[in-house]
Amino acid sequence: MRRVLIVAAAALIPASAAFADWAGHFKTLDTDGNGAVSRTEFEAGVSKLGLDPAPTFTTIDQDVNNRIDADEWAAAEKQTTAYQESCKSTTASWCE
């Protein structure tokens, strides 16, 4: 039982590390510190984050208010992580 828990905990570490990176990326993009990323902030900084694939501003800004809040950023993180996981489990050419 103990071995199973250790393996399960180890499996969760990369996921939490990825989440920490995304949270850090949000703070990096939010250069004025107002808790939201404007289109200008996004366009100025997204290429520096090394996200692959990098989501577009329009895709993330679900309520179309021309700013990305923490909830929208978290939703984009979930989509991107799910995309990468599904590609790891398939040999489909669309993942290359």
Side-chain angles (χ1 to χ4, degrees):
M1 177 72 171
R2 185 174 159 190
R3 186 177 295 171
V4 172
L5 290 175
I6 292 170
V7 171
L12 293 175
I13 291 172
S16 61
F19 178 74
D21 289 347
W22 272 78
H25 290 332
F26 183 80
K27 291 177 183 176
T28 298
L29 290 174
D30 183 18
T31 56
D32 63 8
N34 69 350
V37 177
S38 69
R39 184 178 294 272
T40 303
E41 289 171 322
F42 183 85
E43 290 174 355
V46 72
S47 64
K48 300 172 189 170
L49 301 180
L51 299 175
D52 184 31
T56 64
F57 184 90
T58 305
T59 301
I60 301 173
D61 184 22
Q62 294 294 307
D63 58 8
V64 194
N65 65 351
N66 221 20
R67 51 184 252 166
I68 299 169
D69 60 35
D71 291 337
E72 290 169 323
W73 187 257
E77 182 266 336
K78 285 181 182 179
Q79 279 187 322
T80 301
T81 302
Y83 170 79
Q84 291 171 351
E85 290 300 317
S86 65
C87 282
K88 289 177 186 174
S89 66
T90 186
T91 58
S93 62
W94 58 267
C95 290
E96 297 175 22

